[in-house]
Amino acid sequence: MDLLQAILIAIVEGLTEYLPVSSTAHMIFTSSFFGIQNDDFVKLFQVAIQFGAILAVVVLYWKKFFDFTKINFYIKLACAVLPALVLGKLFDDKIEAVLGNPIPIAIVLIVGGIVLLFIDSRFNHPTVAKEEDITIKKAVTIGFWQCLAMMPGTSRSAASIIGGMQQGLTRETAAEFSFFLAVPTMLAVTTYSLFLKTYEASQLKGYELVTQSSENIKLFLIGNVVAFVVAVIAIKFFIGIIKKYGFKPWGYYRIVAGIVLLIYFSLNK
């Protein structure tokens, strides 16, 4: 993977991480389309640049994250992230096996798009308009919804937002809580990928792959910076879209993108 390819993947990550369209699916498709070798470092890179996207939420909502007088906010996030941590660890190998097959991911992209077309009409009587009114029980339930995103192509953002709306949150509140929940979730995944996971082909830890060469270190740092900048823009854009149009535009996008990608990968097996 060269610098241009790393920047391209980082742009895709920043654009799609907080949108209900599946960043994992888009990065896999981008890598495949541009012939980027799917080696251990690329696998790590696609996960580790989520750190840049994490910082985007922390910076945009810094008053929320650094208001230490509201301990209940941190408790809710801690409780909500537990299901993903436990189930993610249990199914890590099975998830990675699916990542190598883009066709089922494209199908999931289409199915998720169909679901998004009906979300606004299905959950149209919200009762929770502020994060402060989200109970720990609701937060944990949203955390279990987020686990649906373990199937690549589902979208962590889509799963947690749908879970939030199912629990009575408004569209905007559900989206923002999904952003908040992404921080501990993605931080845990990134930490695991960098420091705990041993990659099969190289038998190296993630940080060893990064520090293996000065080129890898450069790609890692630039990738995170690009993902951060693009994610800041994407988050602001997304909130504006859902306020005005709801989730249907993203549903139509997923269906069209999924069909195009399904055809492409079916013809290029």
Side-chain angles (χ1 to χ4, degrees), residues 102-150:
I103 290 180
I105 298 176
I107 294 172
V108 173
L109 203 60
I110 296 169
V111 173
I114 295 171
V115 172
L116 285 181
L117 295 182
F118 300 97
I119 289 302
D120 292 312
S121 58
R122 177 66 181 84
F123 303 120
N124 57 0
H125 294 96
T127 57
V128 180
K130 296 185 299 181
E131 175 275 318
E132 290 79 3
D133 295 329
I134 301 173
T135 64
I136 290 178
K137 181 180 178 181
K138 288 182 182 295
V140 172
T141 302
I142 295 169
F144 276 105
W145 273 89
Q146 180 180 236
C147 293
L148 293 174
M150 289 177 185

mmCIF file of all heavy atoms in Angstrom, residues 102-150:
data_model
loop_
_atom_site.group_PDB
_atom_site.id
_atom_site.type_symbol
_atom_site.label_atom_id
_atom_site.label_comp_id
_atom_site.label_asym_id
_atom_site.label_seq_id
_atom_site.Cartn_x
_atom_site.Cartn_y
_atom_site.Cartn_z
ATOM 1 N N PRO A 102 -16.466 -10.340 -0.287
ATOM 2 C CA PRO A 102 -17.250 -9.114 -0.446
ATOM 3 C C PRO A 102 -18.706 -9.323 -0.849
ATOM 4 O O PRO A 102 -19.536 -8.438 -0.643
ATOM 5 C CB PRO A 102 -16.495 -8.349 -1.542
ATOM 6 C CG PRO A 102 -15.783 -9.410 -2.312
ATOM 7 C CD PRO A 102 -15.418 -10.463 -1.313
ATOM 8 N N ILE A 103 -19.039 -10.482 -1.416
ATOM 9 C CA ILE A 103 -20.407 -10.685 -1.917
ATOM 10 C C ILE A 103 -21.446 -10.685 -0.786
ATOM 11 O O ILE A 103 -22.453 -9.967 -0.870
ATOM 12 C CB ILE A 103 -20.489 -11.965 -2.769
ATOM 13 C CG1 ILE A 103 -19.727 -11.735 -4.081
ATOM 14 C CG2 ILE A 103 -21.947 -12.340 -3.050
ATOM 15 C CD1 ILE A 103 -19.725 -12.919 -5.021
ATOM 16 N N PRO A 104 -21.266 -11.462 0.303
ATOM 17 C CA PRO A 104 -22.255 -11.369 1.390
ATOM 18 C C PRO A 104 -22.308 -9.984 2.023
ATOM 19 O O PRO A 104 -23.362 -9.553 2.498
ATOM 20 C CB PRO A 104 -21.795 -12.433 2.398
ATOM 21 C CG PRO A 104 -20.383 -12.733 2.047
ATOM 22 C CD PRO A 104 -20.272 -12.520 0.575
ATOM 23 N N ILE A 105 -21.181 -9.273 2.014
ATOM 24 C CA ILE A 105 -21.165 -7.916 2.563
ATOM 25 C C ILE A 105 -22.031 -6.993 1.705
ATOM 26 O O ILE A 105 -22.779 -6.158 2.222
ATOM 27 C CB ILE A 105 -19.722 -7.384 2.656
ATOM 28 C CG1 ILE A 105 -18.905 -8.256 3.616
ATOM 29 C CG2 ILE A 105 -19.709 -5.935 3.139
ATOM 30 C CD1 ILE A 105 -17.441 -7.886 3.701
ATOM 31 N N ALA A 106 -21.963 -7.146 0.378
ATOM 32 C CA ALA A 106 -22.795 -6.357 -0.525
ATOM 33 C C ALA A 106 -24.281 -6.656 -0.305
ATOM 34 O O ALA A 106 -25.125 -5.753 -0.335
ATOM 35 C CB ALA A 106 -22.409 -6.638 -1.980
ATOM 36 N N ILE A 107 -24.597 -7.924 -0.054
ATOM 37 C CA ILE A 107 -25.993 -8.313 0.199
ATOM 38 C C ILE A 107 -26.502 -7.664 1.489
ATOM 39 O O ILE A 107 -27.616 -7.139 1.544
ATOM 40 C CB ILE A 107 -26.115 -9.852 0.272
ATOM 41 C CG1 ILE A 107 -25.816 -10.466 -1.103
ATOM 42 C CG2 ILE A 107 -27.510 -10.254 0.748
ATOM 43 C CD1 ILE A 107 -25.719 -11.985 -1.091
ATOM 44 N N VAL A 108 -25.660 -7.695 2.530
ATOM 45 C CA VAL A 108 -26.035 -7.066 3.799
ATOM 46 C C VAL A 108 -26.222 -5.560 3.609
ATOM 47 O O VAL A 108 -27.121 -4.949 4.202
ATOM 48 C CB VAL A 108 -24.970 -7.345 4.883
ATOM 49 C CG1 VAL A 108 -25.261 -6.542 6.150
ATOM 50 C CG2 VAL A 108 -24.926 -8.828 5.213
ATOM 51 N N LEU A 109 -25.409 -4.953 2.757
ATOM 52 C CA LEU A 109 -25.534 -3.530 2.460
ATOM 53 C C LEU A 109 -26.920 -3.232 1.886
ATOM 54 O O LEU A 109 -27.574 -2.256 2.273
ATOM 55 C CB LEU A 109 -24.444 -3.125 1.459
ATOM 56 C CG LEU A 109 -24.013 -1.655 1.404
ATOM 57 C CD1 LEU A 109 -23.454 -1.198 2.744
ATOM 58 C CD2 LEU A 109 -22.968 -1.460 0.310
ATOM 59 N N ILE A 110 -27.389 -4.074 0.983
ATOM 60 C CA ILE A 110 -28.708 -3.897 0.366
ATOM 61 C C ILE A 110 -29.822 -4.087 1.394
ATOM 62 O O ILE A 110 -30.747 -3.270 1.485
ATOM 63 C CB ILE A 110 -28.894 -4.894 -0.797
ATOM 64 C CG1 ILE A 110 -27.885 -4.590 -1.912
ATOM 65 C CG2 ILE A 110 -30.319 -4.833 -1.343
ATOM 66 C CD1 ILE A 110 -27.802 -5.676 -2.980
ATOM 67 N N VAL A 111 -29.722 -5.163 2.168
ATOM 68 C CA VAL A 111 -30.761 -5.445 3.177
ATOM 69 C C VAL A 111 -30.849 -4.301 4.187
ATOM 70 O O VAL A 111 -31.946 -3.851 4.550
ATOM 71 C CB VAL A 111 -30.459 -6.777 3.899
ATOM 72 C CG1 VAL A 111 -31.429 -6.982 5.062
ATOM 73 C CG2 VAL A 111 -30.550 -7.943 2.924
ATOM 74 N N GLY A 112 -29.701 -3.808 4.628
ATOM 75 C CA GLY A 112 -29.691 -2.685 5.564
ATOM 76 C C GLY A 112 -30.300 -1.437 4.968
ATOM 77 O O GLY A 112 -30.962 -0.656 5.661
ATOM 78 N N GLY A 113 -30.097 -1.237 3.662
ATOM 79 C CA GLY A 113 -30.698 -0.086 2.985
ATOM 80 C C GLY A 113 -32.212 -0.161 2.979
ATOM 81 O O GLY A 113 -32.905 0.845 3.203
ATOM 82 N N ILE A 114 -32.741 -1.358 2.736
ATOM 83 C CA ILE A 114 -34.201 -1.549 2.750
ATOM 84 C C ILE A 114 -34.759 -1.232 4.136
ATOM 85 O O ILE A 114 -35.800 -0.580 4.273
ATOM 86 C CB ILE A 114 -34.555 -2.992 2.334
ATOM 87 C CG1 ILE A 114 -34.147 -3.233 0.872
ATOM 88 C CG2 ILE A 114 -36.045 -3.261 2.529
ATOM 89 C CD1 ILE A 114 -34.244 -4.673 0.425
ATOM 90 N N VAL A 115 -34.048 -1.679 5.176
ATOM 91 C CA VAL A 115 -34.480 -1.398 6.549
ATOM 92 C C VAL A 115 -34.534 0.107 6.803
ATOM 93 O O VAL A 115 -35.495 0.626 7.381
ATOM 94 C CB VAL A 115 -33.538 -2.083 7.565
ATOM 95 C CG1 VAL A 115 -33.865 -1.620 8.987
ATOM 96 C CG2 VAL A 115 -33.643 -3.593 7.462
ATOM 97 N N LEU A 116 -33.518 0.836 6.351
ATOM 98 C CA LEU A 116 -33.455 2.279 6.592
ATOM 99 C C LEU A 116 -34.594 3.040 5.926
ATOM 100 O O LEU A 116 -34.987 4.114 6.385
ATOM 101 C CB LEU A 116 -32.114 2.847 6.109
ATOM 102 C CG LEU A 116 -30.885 2.570 6.974
ATOM 103 C CD1 LEU A 116 -29.649 3.225 6.377
ATOM 104 C CD2 LEU A 116 -31.092 3.069 8.407
ATOM 105 N N LEU A 117 -35.160 2.499 4.851
ATOM 106 C CA LEU A 117 -36.268 3.166 4.167
ATOM 107 C C LEU A 117 -37.507 3.275 5.060
ATOM 108 O O LEU A 117 -38.338 4.166 4.867
ATOM 109 C CB LEU A 117 -36.632 2.414 2.881
ATOM 110 C CG LEU A 117 -35.579 2.369 1.769
ATOM 111 C CD1 LEU A 117 -36.131 1.614 0.562
ATOM 112 C CD2 LEU A 117 -35.159 3.779 1.363
ATOM 113 N N PHE A 118 -37.613 2.359 6.030
ATOM 114 C CA PHE A 118 -38.834 2.297 6.837
ATOM 115 C C PHE A 118 -38.630 2.755 8.285
ATOM 116 O O PHE A 118 -39.576 2.760 9.074
ATOM 117 C CB PHE A 118 -39.390 0.868 6.827
ATOM 118 C CG PHE A 118 -39.745 0.384 5.451
ATOM 119 C CD1 PHE A 118 -38.853 -0.397 4.734
ATOM 120 C CD2 PHE A 118 -40.950 0.735 4.866
ATOM 121 C CE1 PHE A 118 -39.163 -0.830 3.457
ATOM 122 C CE2 PHE A 118 -41.276 0.300 3.589
ATOM 123 C CZ PHE A 118 -40.376 -0.481 2.873
ATOM 124 N N ILE A 119 -37.397 3.124 8.635
ATOM 125 C CA ILE A 119 -37.100 3.477 10.020
ATOM 126 C C ILE A 119 -37.883 4.699 10.484
ATOM 127 O O ILE A 119 -38.452 4.722 11.586
ATOM 128 C CB ILE A 119 -35.577 3.719 10.192
ATOM 129 C CG1 ILE A 119 -34.835 2.387 10.093
ATOM 130 C CG2 ILE A 119 -35.268 4.404 11.522
ATOM 131 C CD1 ILE A 119 -35.279 1.352 11.092
ATOM 132 N N ASP A 120 -37.920 5.740 9.673
ATOM 133 C CA ASP A 120 -38.579 6.983 10.087
ATOM 134 C C ASP A 120 -40.068 6.780 10.351
ATOM 135 O O ASP A 120 -40.624 7.347 11.294
ATOM 136 C CB ASP A 120 -38.375 8.070 9.020
ATOM 137 C CG ASP A 120 -36.926 8.512 8.936
ATOM 138 O OD1 ASP A 120 -36.326 8.788 9.984
ATOM 139 O OD2 ASP A 120 -36.387 8.576 7.821
ATOM 140 N N SER A 121 -40.716 5.972 9.521
ATOM 141 C CA SER A 121 -42.150 5.748 9.705
ATOM 142 C C SER A 121 -42.431 4.737 10.817
ATOM 143 O O SER A 121 -43.477 4.792 11.460
ATOM 144 C CB SER A 121 -42.779 5.254 8.391
ATOM 145 O OG SER A 121 -42.155 4.065 7.951
ATOM 146 N N ARG A 122 -41.484 3.838 11.051
ATOM 147 C CA ARG A 122 -41.687 2.812 12.088
ATOM 148 C C ARG A 122 -41.530 3.392 13.482
ATOM 149 O O ARG A 122 -42.301 3.071 14.386
ATOM 150 C CB ARG A 122 -40.676 1.668 11.873
ATOM 151 C CG ARG A 122 -40.741 0.569 12.934
ATOM 152 C CD ARG A 122 -42.054 -0.179 12.870
ATOM 153 N NE ARG A 122 -42.128 -1.217 13.885
ATOM 154 C CZ ARG A 122 -42.507 -1.035 15.144
ATOM 155 N NH1 ARG A 122 -42.848 0.184 15.549
ATOM 156 N NH2 ARG A 122 -42.546 -2.040 15.990
ATOM 157 N N PHE A 123 -40.546 4.237 13.679
ATOM 158 C CA PHE A 123 -40.293 4.824 14.995
ATOM 159 C C PHE A 123 -40.537 6.333 14.920
ATOM 160 O O PHE A 123 -39.592 7.125 14.901
ATOM 161 C CB PHE A 123 -38.862 4.530 15.447
ATOM 162 C CG PHE A 123 -38.522 3.063 15.487
ATOM 163 C CD1 PHE A 123 -37.494 2.556 14.702
ATOM 164 C CD2 PHE A 123 -39.230 2.192 16.298
ATOM 165 C CE1 PHE A 123 -37.174 1.208 14.733
ATOM 166 C CE2 PHE A 123 -38.919 0.836 16.339
ATOM 167 C CZ PHE A 123 -37.897 0.339 15.550
ATOM 168 N N ASN A 124 -41.793 6.712 14.853
ATOM 169 C CA ASN A 124 -42.134 8.125 14.624
ATOM 170 C C ASN A 124 -42.780 8.809 15.824
ATOM 171 O O ASN A 124 -43.401 9.865 15.687
ATOM 172 C CB ASN A 124 -43.048 8.259 13.397
ATOM 173 C CG ASN A 124 -44.318 7.424 13.526
ATOM 174 O OD1 ASN A 124 -44.518 6.745 14.525
ATOM 175 N ND2 ASN A 124 -45.154 7.477 12.508
ATOM 176 N N HIS A 125 -42.662 8.199 17.012
ATOM 177 C CA HIS A 125 -43.198 8.821 18.221
ATOM 178 C C HIS A 125 -42.122 8.852 19.308
ATOM 179 O O HIS A 125 -42.240 8.178 20.350
ATOM 180 C CB HIS A 125 -44.442 8.071 18.719
ATOM 181 C CG HIS A 125 -45.606 8.162 17.782
ATOM 182 N ND1 HIS A 125 -45.888 7.184 16.845
ATOM 183 C CD2 HIS A 125 -46.546 9.130 17.610
ATOM 184 C CE1 HIS A 125 -46.953 7.527 16.162
ATOM 185 N NE2 HIS A 125 -47.372 8.708 16.596
ATOM 186 N N PRO A 126 -41.052 9.606 19.093
ATOM 187 C CA PRO A 126 -39.952 9.641 20.067
ATOM 188 C C PRO A 126 -40.360 10.293 21.385
ATOM 189 O O PRO A 126 -41.203 11.201 21.409
ATOM 190 C CB PRO A 126 -38.886 10.470 19.359
ATOM 191 C CG PRO A 126 -39.645 11.339 18.413
ATOM 192 C CD PRO A 126 -40.804 10.518 17.952
ATOM 193 N N THR A 127 -39.758 9.818 22.457
ATOM 194 C CA THR A 127 -40.044 10.364 23.789
ATOM 195 C C THR A 127 -38.783 10.889 24.479
ATOM 196 O O THR A 127 -38.869 11.493 25.538
ATOM 197 C CB THR A 127 -40.668 9.276 24.682
ATOM 198 O OG1 THR A 127 -39.780 8.146 24.742
ATOM 199 C CG2 THR A 127 -42.014 8.815 24.122
ATOM 200 N N VAL A 128 -37.609 10.640 23.866
ATOM 201 C CA VAL A 128 -36.334 11.054 24.465
ATOM 202 C C VAL A 128 -35.623 12.004 23.508
ATOM 203 O O VAL A 128 -35.199 11.592 22.432
ATOM 204 C CB VAL A 128 -35.432 9.835 24.764
ATOM 205 C CG1 VAL A 128 -34.108 10.292 25.379
ATOM 206 C CG2 VAL A 128 -36.147 8.855 25.684
ATOM 207 N N ALA A 129 -35.490 13.261 23.920
ATOM 208 C CA ALA A 129 -34.890 14.275 23.041
ATOM 209 C C ALA A 129 -33.524 14.748 23.526
ATOM 210 O O ALA A 129 -32.860 15.522 22.838
ATOM 211 C CB ALA A 129 -35.832 15.472 22.908
ATOM 212 N N LYS A 130 -33.093 14.266 24.709
ATOM 213 C CA LYS A 130 -31.800 14.687 25.256
ATOM 214 C C LYS A 130 -31.034 13.474 25.768
ATOM 215 O O LYS A 130 -31.643 12.526 26.280
ATOM 216 C CB LYS A 130 -32.003 15.692 26.403
ATOM 217 C CG LYS A 130 -32.655 17.000 26.001
ATOM 218 C CD LYS A 130 -32.691 17.964 27.187
ATOM 219 C CE LYS A 130 -33.485 17.399 28.337
ATOM 220 N NZ LYS A 130 -33.554 18.338 29.494
ATOM 221 N N GLU A 131 -29.715 13.548 25.662
ATOM 222 C CA GLU A 131 -28.885 12.441 26.152
ATOM 223 C C GLU A 131 -29.112 12.207 27.632
ATOM 224 O O GLU A 131 -29.095 11.069 28.101
ATOM 225 C CB GLU A 131 -27.404 12.764 25.864
ATOM 226 C CG GLU A 131 -26.421 11.750 26.422
ATOM 227 C CD GLU A 131 -26.057 12.020 27.879
ATOM 228 O OE1 GLU A 131 -25.844 13.209 28.201
ATOM 229 O OE2 GLU A 131 -26.006 11.073 28.680
ATOM 230 N N GLU A 132 -29.345 13.273 28.386
ATOM 231 C CA GLU A 132 -29.531 13.155 29.832
ATOM 232 C C GLU A 132 -30.727 12.280 30.197
ATOM 233 O O GLU A 132 -30.789 11.718 31.300
ATOM 234 C CB GLU A 132 -29.713 14.546 30.460
ATOM 235 C CG GLU A 132 -28.461 15.404 30.461
ATOM 236 C CD GLU A 132 -28.169 16.064 29.118
ATOM 237 O OE1 GLU A 132 -28.991 15.897 28.175
ATOM 238 O OE2 GLU A 132 -27.127 16.733 28.984
ATOM 239 N N ASP A 133 -31.687 12.150 29.267
ATOM 240 C CA ASP A 133 -32.895 11.371 29.550
ATOM 241 C C ASP A 133 -32.771 9.906 29.131
ATOM 242 O O ASP A 133 -33.718 9.134 29.283
ATOM 243 C CB ASP A 133 -34.092 12.001 28.831
ATOM 244 C CG ASP A 133 -34.411 13.401 29.362
ATOM 245 O OD1 ASP A 133 -34.173 13.633 30.555
ATOM 246 O OD2 ASP A 133 -34.882 14.243 28.579
ATOM 247 N N ILE A 134 -31.616 9.535 28.587
ATOM 248 C CA ILE A 134 -31.393 8.133 28.226
ATOM 249 C C ILE A 134 -31.030 7.362 29.493
ATOM 250 O O ILE A 134 -30.056 7.688 30.174
ATOM 251 C CB ILE A 134 -30.252 7.998 27.197
ATOM 252 C CG1 ILE A 134 -30.572 8.787 25.929
ATOM 253 C CG2 ILE A 134 -30.017 6.520 26.849
ATOM 254 C CD1 ILE A 134 -29.425 8.845 24.941
ATOM 255 N N THR A 135 -31.817 6.362 29.824
ATOM 256 C CA THR A 135 -31.550 5.569 31.024
ATOM 257 C C THR A 135 -30.435 4.558 30.744
ATOM 258 O O THR A 135 -30.105 4.276 29.587
ATOM 259 C CB THR A 135 -32.801 4.812 31.473
ATOM 260 O OG1 THR A 135 -33.168 3.874 30.448
ATOM 261 C CG2 THR A 135 -33.960 5.769 31.725
ATOM 262 N N ILE A 136 -29.878 4.010 31.808
ATOM 263 C CA ILE A 136 -28.843 2.984 31.646
ATOM 264 C C ILE A 136 -29.422 1.763 30.928
ATOM 265 O O ILE A 136 -28.759 1.153 30.074
ATOM 266 C CB ILE A 136 -28.254 2.591 33.011
ATOM 267 C CG1 ILE A 136 -27.425 3.753 33.569
ATOM 268 C CG2 ILE A 136 -27.393 1.330 32.898
ATOM 269 C CD1 ILE A 136 -26.834 3.511 34.932
ATOM 270 N N LYS A 137 -30.662 1.420 31.227
ATOM 271 C CA LYS A 137 -31.313 0.285 30.562
ATOM 272 C C LYS A 137 -31.404 0.526 29.059
ATOM 273 O O LYS A 137 -31.112 -0.358 28.252
ATOM 274 C CB LYS A 137 -32.705 0.060 31.147
ATOM 275 C CG LYS A 137 -33.440 -1.120 30.525
ATOM 276 C CD LYS A 137 -34.818 -1.295 31.145
ATOM 277 C CE LYS A 137 -35.562 -2.451 30.466
ATOM 278 N NZ LYS A 137 -36.923 -2.635 31.040
ATOM 279 N N LYS A 138 -31.809 1.734 28.671
ATOM 280 C CA LYS A 138 -31.886 2.066 27.242
ATOM 281 C C LYS A 138 -30.495 2.033 26.605
ATOM 282 O O LYS A 138 -30.313 1.560 25.478
ATOM 283 C CB LYS A 138 -32.522 3.448 27.051
ATOM 284 C CG LYS A 138 -34.018 3.518 27.334
ATOM 285 C CD LYS A 138 -34.558 4.915 27.066
ATOM 286 C CE LYS A 138 -36.048 5.021 27.395
ATOM 287 N NZ LYS A 138 -36.887 4.175 26.523
ATOM 288 N N ALA A 139 -29.501 2.543 27.323
ATOM 289 C CA ALA A 139 -28.134 2.566 26.806
ATOM 290 C C ALA A 139 -27.625 1.146 26.549
ATOM 291 O O ALA A 139 -27.005 0.877 25.505
ATOM 292 C CB ALA A 139 -27.220 3.290 27.785
ATOM 293 N N VAL A 140 -27.872 0.233 27.480
ATOM 294 C CA VAL A 140 -27.433 -1.155 27.309
ATOM 295 C C VAL A 140 -28.156 -1.801 26.129
ATOM 296 O O VAL A 140 -27.540 -2.534 25.330
ATOM 297 C CB VAL A 140 -27.674 -1.962 28.597
ATOM 298 C CG1 VAL A 140 -27.402 -3.449 28.354
ATOM 299 C CG2 VAL A 140 -26.801 -1.446 29.723
ATOM 300 N N THR A 141 -29.445 -1.522 25.992
ATOM 301 C CA THR A 141 -30.213 -2.069 24.865
ATOM 302 C C THR A 141 -29.639 -1.580 23.539
ATOM 303 O O THR A 141 -29.483 -2.354 22.581
ATOM 304 C CB THR A 141 -31.699 -1.658 24.970
ATOM 305 O OG1 THR A 141 -32.226 -2.121 26.218
ATOM 306 C CG2 THR A 141 -32.505 -2.266 23.830
ATOM 307 N N ILE A 142 -29.303 -0.301 23.473
ATOM 308 C CA ILE A 142 -28.669 0.247 22.263
ATOM 309 C C ILE A 142 -27.333 -0.439 22.020
ATOM 310 O O ILE A 142 -26.960 -0.716 20.877
ATOM 311 C CB ILE A 142 -28.481 1.772 22.391
ATOM 312 C CG1 ILE A 142 -29.851 2.469 22.465
ATOM 313 C CG2 ILE A 142 -27.678 2.333 21.219
ATOM 314 C CD1 ILE A 142 -29.787 3.934 22.842
ATOM 315 N N GLY A 143 -26.618 -0.744 23.112
ATOM 316 C CA GLY A 143 -25.349 -1.458 22.998
ATOM 317 C C GLY A 143 -25.513 -2.829 22.362
ATOM 318 O O GLY A 143 -24.679 -3.259 21.558
ATOM 319 N N PHE A 144 -26.597 -3.530 22.706
ATOM 320 C CA PHE A 144 -26.860 -4.829 22.083
ATOM 321 C C PHE A 144 -27.237 -4.664 20.606
ATOM 322 O O PHE A 144 -26.846 -5.477 19.766
ATOM 323 C CB PHE A 144 -27.967 -5.575 22.833
ATOM 324 C CG PHE A 144 -27.471 -6.347 24.028
ATOM 325 C CD1 PHE A 144 -27.694 -5.880 25.315
ATOM 326 C CD2 PHE A 144 -26.769 -7.533 23.861
ATOM 327 C CE1 PHE A 144 -27.221 -6.582 26.419
ATOM 328 C CE2 PHE A 144 -26.297 -8.243 24.951
ATOM 329 C CZ PHE A 144 -26.527 -7.765 26.242
ATOM 330 N N TRP A 145 -27.989 -3.622 20.290
ATOM 331 C CA TRP A 145 -28.298 -3.329 18.894
ATOM 332 C C TRP A 145 -26.999 -3.108 18.104
ATOM 333 O O TRP A 145 -26.862 -3.559 16.960
ATOM 334 C CB TRP A 145 -29.186 -2.090 18.783
ATOM 335 C CG TRP A 145 -30.644 -2.362 18.891
ATOM 336 C CD1 TRP A 145 -31.405 -2.404 20.022
ATOM 337 C CD2 TRP A 145 -31.558 -2.622 17.815
ATOM 338 N NE1 TRP A 145 -32.722 -2.672 19.737
ATOM 339 C CE2 TRP A 145 -32.845 -2.812 18.384
ATOM 340 C CE3 TRP A 145 -31.422 -2.708 16.433
ATOM 341 C CZ2 TRP A 145 -33.971 -3.078 17.599
ATOM 342 C CZ3 TRP A 145 -32.548 -2.978 15.656
ATOM 343 C CH2 TRP A 145 -33.800 -3.165 16.236
ATOM 344 N N GLN A 146 -26.056 -2.406 18.712
ATOM 345 C CA GLN A 146 -24.792 -2.118 18.046
ATOM 346 C C GLN A 146 -24.067 -3.404 17.641
ATOM 347 O O GLN A 146 -23.337 -3.420 16.637
ATOM 348 C CB GLN A 146 -23.887 -1.292 18.964
ATOM 349 C CG GLN A 146 -22.547 -0.940 18.355
ATOM 350 C CD GLN A 146 -21.659 -0.124 19.275
ATOM 351 O OE1 GLN A 146 -21.222 0.953 18.909
ATOM 352 N NE2 GLN A 146 -21.390 -0.631 20.464
ATOM 353 N N CYS A 147 -24.285 -4.472 18.392
ATOM 354 C CA CYS A 147 -23.610 -5.741 18.101
ATOM 355 C C CYS A 147 -24.006 -6.330 16.754
ATOM 356 O O CYS A 147 -23.290 -7.177 16.205
ATOM 357 C CB CYS A 147 -23.897 -6.760 19.209
ATOM 358 S SG CYS A 147 -23.155 -6.320 20.795
ATOM 359 N N LEU A 148 -25.148 -5.896 16.208
ATOM 360 C CA LEU A 148 -25.545 -6.367 14.876
ATOM 361 C C LEU A 148 -24.495 -5.999 13.835
ATOM 362 O O LEU A 148 -24.363 -6.659 12.807
ATOM 363 C CB LEU A 148 -26.900 -5.764 14.478
ATOM 364 C CG LEU A 148 -28.118 -6.210 15.297
ATOM 365 C CD1 LEU A 148 -29.345 -5.416 14.868
ATOM 366 C CD2 LEU A 148 -28.364 -7.707 15.115
ATOM 367 N N ALA A 149 -23.741 -4.930 14.110
ATOM 368 C CA ALA A 149 -22.736 -4.452 13.162
ATOM 369 C C ALA A 149 -21.513 -5.357 13.107
ATOM 370 O O ALA A 149 -20.594 -5.101 12.318
ATOM 371 C CB ALA A 149 -22.318 -3.034 13.526
ATOM 372 N N MET A 150 -21.491 -6.414 13.920
ATOM 373 C CA MET A 150 -20.379 -7.357 13.818
ATOM 374 C C MET A 150 -20.399 -8.078 12.479
ATOM 375 O O MET A 150 -19.386 -8.599 12.025
ATOM 376 C CB MET A 150 -20.435 -8.362 14.977
ATOM 377 C CG MET A 150 -20.084 -7.721 16.292
ATOM 378 S SD MET A 150 -20.230 -8.865 17.664
ATOM 379 C CE MET A 150 -19.896 -7.742 19.024
#
